[in-house]
Amino acid sequence: MLFNSLDFFLFLLVVFIVYWTLPNVYRKVWLISASIFFYGFWSIGFLFHFLGILAFNYLFYYFAHGSYTKAKVSFLVIVNLFNLAIFKYLIFFETILNDLGFSIQVAYPLKDFVLPLAISFYTFQIIAFHIDCYRGELKEKVSPEDFFFFILFFPQLIAGPIIRWAELKRQIDRNKLPHADLLRTGSVLIFFGLLKKVVIGDQLGTLIDPVFQSPEKYNQAAILLSAYGFAVQIYSDFSGYSDIARGLAILLGFNIPRNFDTPYFATTLQEFWQRWHITLSRWLRDYLYIPLGGNRSGKINTYINLLLTMLLGGLWHGANYNFLIWGGLHGLFLAIERPFVRTFQKYSKFWQLGIRSLIIFHFVCITWIFFRSSSLRDAIVFFEGFTRNVGSNLSNNSLAGWLIFGAIALHILERNYRKLNFLTQKFWLLPAFGIALFALFPSTVNNVMTFIYFQF
């Protein structure tokens, strides 16, 4: 059930009306039930698998509460990562071993299964919960209803943001009253999320997907537009999802973290990762980079820790060489730029910031090619296309250009997001824009495209 589908609209309408009709004491159970239905709509089998994982983790927490040890939390981390690995990484590990010269064929029944929805996200959220317990950050006993709500809450379930218990605990049982500000603010976020996803991301996807599937068939202009186009598409798609998720949560009286903050204006790669997929970046920092030693063990170890963190961050995104290369390049660049970050901060004139932003943006665009390509061979062929004068153009070069230009304009507007507040004062504009959106892009109703990060 996708956020941009008719099924979800009808689901949300029922959830919203019933939620605000019920007394506060019953709302949590209603949202847990709705979230279970939301996940089960995709797969009943994997719903039982998911609920089993939640039940196991809660039962362990219940009996270990107040007595977490390093051995216990290590066991929980291993179990949850094993659950992730058995679905996501076994085939890749087999590929690596075969590429190293070992002739291995692993026979296991999960080989032909699709990846369970949201498994990468809920695994990280559960692990963070247990580690916070071990660190003594969760003093009070968490009820089973609160724990299940914390993981299952449907606006953030499928692709984040990756929430921490401390960010949600005081909101769960708080008595909430419906008011116009919730409707206005939530609707604005949902509208802009759909605008980015449906109008920009999906339309660009239909133009550039054929190029990434067969890069050898396309000329230099198509390759260049596709490289820029995917940078715009993945941002529009993922930040659009996050905006919708935040908007849905606000409609129900909850605030969840912002996941994007105009990352393509970053002037260093470190700043980019403080603005892109913010909740994953802080997870990697707090539960991987710092435990590895962070910057406390000298410069060389700091660079190694950065590289390892980003390599594992790349592997989290997907099980193939391209994601490792993508993560490795980011880690390497973070290590190289680290000694110069403070020096860069001394040069803050507008043109100097602009040049640095362009450098970081183009580095990110280059690495996105590995992220998007189906294989290392396809990525290499794509890079070769930058010098290819023969081949096909995109099906519509001008539309691609206008969509990229529109995304840049929207990015600038997001940078000055306070200017968007006029929409919350002129609420009548939202339905007018919504009607215009679906009138201009009727194909979005009939051809619902999934979100890119659903595959992770």
Side-chain angles (χ1 to χ4, degrees), residues 287-307:
Y287 301 106
L288 187 57
Y289 174 69
I290 292 175
L292 283 172
N295 60 359
R296 303 188 302 274
S297 303
K299 291 182 180 179
I300 299 300
N301 285 332
T302 298
Y303 302 151
I304 292 172
N305 293 337
L306 281 170
L307 185 58

Side-chain angles (χ1 to χ4, degrees), residues 336-352:
I336 291 171
E337 79 163 11
R338 185 176 178 83
F340 306 104
V341 169
R342 289 184 180 177
T343 304
F344 290 154
Q345 291 170 349
K346 297 177 184 177
Y347 301 96
S348 55
K349 292 181 180 178
F350 181 78
W351 67 270
Q352 293 166 332

